[in-house]
Amino acid sequence: MIPSRLFSVRPQAVLEGVGCWTLAARMVPGPSHRLLLRTSPRLLSVSCADCSKHQEPPRKQPLSEKKLKRHFVDHRRVLVRGGRGGNGVSCFHSEPRKEFGGPDGGDGGNGGHVILRVDQHVKSLSSVLSRYQGFDGEDGGRKNCFGRNGSILYIRVPVGTLVKEGNEVLADLSRPGDEFIAAVGGSGGKGNRFFLANDNRAPTTCTPGQPGQERVLFLELKTVAHAGLVGFPNAGKSSLLRAISNARPAVASYPFTTLNPHVGIVHYEDHQQIAVADIPGIIRGAHQNRGLGLAFLRHVERCPFLLFLVDLSVPEPWTQLDDLRYELEQYDEGLSKRPYAVVANKIDLPQARARLPQLQARLGQEAIALSAATGENLEELLLRLKELHDRHVATELEHGRQPLRW
């Protein structure tokens, strides 16, 4: 019989307040006496490492609209300079029992180009630096060894980047994989082997490498999408884009919640994808650079068809369509005449539903009445969107152009 006083229990703190009881001592019978041994608390305690295996990794917090605006850049001034060419070398072949080996200086390598390349994973010009220098070519060597050419420096830009030099448009990078040589690398210098001739058997002339091309470019981003969602501030454009796609623009009850364009992809059963761009709110006088003004009106230019979003909760909602079309026409002639559909939002409100017959009578055409908040009648919008897209694809193929695909 082991006396009870030889055993004791004590609490041990593990895992932030979860108690665990461990055996403090145990008796080991011996031939002549009993030995008291200490038991390690690790034998009976729970390891924190085992619990950490089942913990989910912390998720990345989504950026707020203000922080997202800092990361979104749609214009950039860039100084690009091609790599310098390597120098040619003047030297003569040296070999035993060969007195007149002749010139064997190699040419220098060409400097590397600086190329703009479209990358679909890049969404703005925020990653583009203000200055780029191409890689230089290596100098020539002995034994007619040419220098290595400088590597090509690629600058990743988003789809829809417009390249300008002054007021001249140099390139329109509107397709994935498009490239434009922003700066040409300099030519490599010639070694004295290049100047070998019948009348000059031992030339000592060599030329240095040429500097690369240097220019100042202005990059301007115009969002590329199939449909442009145009409307006044707080009309529900972001809510509608969230309802029909997986895009997650900021939504709030105050105007100018969206500070930069968002593109959402609408998926159909036949694996067809249509890109819809949420253009920040346009106000009266936007073509005169009021409000967000010209900074975001240019993002509508590349959309082949438009979705005019009208807020039915305000008095006389039919005037919104006239104002929106007027602003687009003043900014770019013919922009308001593109194929479009009128979407009447906030039909879930009682006063909005009462204004719907007046809106359709004023417009002289049928407006798609829906509610982005409740999802009412979204199917009609998706069918109309697909109809506009199919018509645009047929028109592009008739003119021998390849339509945009996402």
Side-chain angles (χ1 to χ4, degrees):
M1 187 72 180
I2 302 176
S4 60
R5 61 183 179 84
L6 295 179
F7 291 91
S8 65
V9 290
R10 57 185 176 87
Q12 179 184 6
V14 284
L15 297 181
E16 297 183 357
V18 180
C20 177
W21 296 93
T22 61
L23 187 63
R26 61 184 177 93
M27 290 296 299
V28 179
S32 59
H33 62 279
R34 300 180 183 272
L35 180 62
L36 187 65
L37 296 178
R38 306 287 295 181
T39 302
S40 174
R42 294 183 180 180
L43 298 177
L44 299 177
S45 62
V46 181
S47 174
C48 296
D50 297 336
C51 299
S52 62
K53 294 180 181 179
H54 304 286
Q55 294 179 357
E56 295 183 358
R59 295 183 178 180
K60 184 178 180 181
Q61 295 294 332
L63 294 176
S64 64
E65 192 68 26
K66 285 187 176 181
K67 291 183 178 180
L68 196 61
K69 183 178 183 296
R70 300 174 190 170
H71 295 278
F72 183 83
V73 178
D74 57 0
H75 59 278
R76 181 76 81 183
R77 178 185 180 273
V78 184
L79 172 64
V80 290
R81 185 184 297 115
R84 185 181 183 88
N87 299 325
V89 174
S90 176
C91 60
F92 291 88
H93 182 70
S94 177
E95 185 179 347
R97 296 181 298 276
K98 193 171 183 180
E99 184 177 359
F100 302 102
D104 67 348
D107 300 344
N110 298 325
H113 304 326
V114 180
I115 297 180
L116 302 176
R117 174 186 284 178
V118 175
D119 189 347
Q120 281 187 305
H121 299 287
V122 179
K123 301 304 179 184
S124 76
L125 298 174
S126 59
S127 60
V128 178
L129 305 179
S130 60
R131 179 175 298 181
Y132 285 94
Q133 170 66 50
F135 297 100
D136 298 337
E138 293 184 355
D139 297 339
R142 303 178 63 90
K143 299 181 181 180
N144 296 319
C145 292
F146 285 29
R148 180 182 297 175
N149 295 333
S151 301
I152 297 177
L153 177 61
Y154 288 100
I155 305 174
R156 299 191 306 160
V157 295
V159 180
T161 302
L162 205 64
V163 184
K164 295 182 179 180
E165 186 175 15
N167 296 326
E168 181 185 1
V169 178
L170 301 180
D172 186 1
L173 307 177
S174 58
R175 302 285 178 179
D178 285 353
E179 293 183 355
F180 172 72
I181 301 179
V184 180
S187 301
K190 302 298 182 181
N192 63 338
R193 173 73 180 183
F194 176 80
F195 298 97
L196 178 63
N198 291 332
D199 56 347
N200 187 5
R201 305 304 300 174
T204 58
T205 305
C206 62
T207 59
Q210 300 298 317
Q213 184 184 14
E214 180 178 342
R215 61 192 346 185
V216 177
L217 301 178
F218 295 91
L219 306 183
E220 181 179 322
L221 174 61
K222 296 182 180 180
T223 303
V224 176
H226 296 113
L229 198 56
V230 184
F232 280 100
N234 212 25
K237 300 183 299 299
S238 299
S239 300
L240 183 59
L241 189 64
R242 292 170 67 103
I244 63 177
S245 69
N246 290 330
R248 290 295 175 263
V251 174
S253 59
Y254 53 85
F256 293 107
T257 307
T258 304
L259 300 177
N260 57 276
H262 293 267
V263 179
I265 307 299
V266 182
H267 299 268
Y268 290 89
E269 293 181 354
D270 55 352
H271 303 286
Q272 192 177 30
Q273 298 179 349
I274 300 178
V276 181
D278 173 19
I279 309 299
I282 300 175
I283 64 174
R284 295 179 178 88
H287 69 280
Q288 300 174 351
N289 210 18
R290 294 181 181 176
L292 297 178
L294 304 179
F296 294 108
L297 269 175
R298 62 169 169 261
H299 292 282
V300 193
E301 293 183 32
R302 297 185 183 272
C303 300
F305 50 92
L306 305 174
L307 297 177
F308 289 105
L309 192 64
V310 178
D311 187 1
L312 285 178
S313 64
V314 299
E316 299 183 354
W318 49 85
T319 60
Q320 299 180 23
L321 179 61
D322 297 334
D323 294 337
L324 291 173
R325 297 189 65 181
Y326 175 77
E327 294 298 330
L328 295 181
E329 189 67 24
Q330 292 297 316
Y331 172 73
D332 186 10
E333 186 177 355
L335 189 58
S336 64
K337 299 178 182 178
R338 295 182 180 180
Y340 69 92
V342 180
V343 181
N345 192 22
K346 303 183 182 180
I347 195 64
D348 54 313
L349 302 178
Q351 66 273 18
R353 192 176 295 273
R355 297 190 181 102
L356 181 59
Q358 302 179 14
L359 173 65
Q360 294 180 346
R362 292 273 185 166
L363 297 180
Q365 61 180 359
E366 185 178 356
I368 304 173
L370 52 81
S371 173
T374 62
E376 180 182 354
N377 204 26
L378 288 179
E379 294 81 3
E380 184 178 354
L381 172 62
L382 296 178
L383 292 176
R384 177 61 174 163
L385 187 63
K386 191 175 187 304
E387 180 183 345
L388 291 172
H389 178 262
D390 293 341
R391 191 180 306 169
H392 164 67
V393 171
T395 304
E396 291 292 302
L397 294 178
E398 286 180 3
H399 292 82
R401 297 188 296 262
Q402 189 67 23
L404 174 67
R405 296 185 181 275
W406 283 81

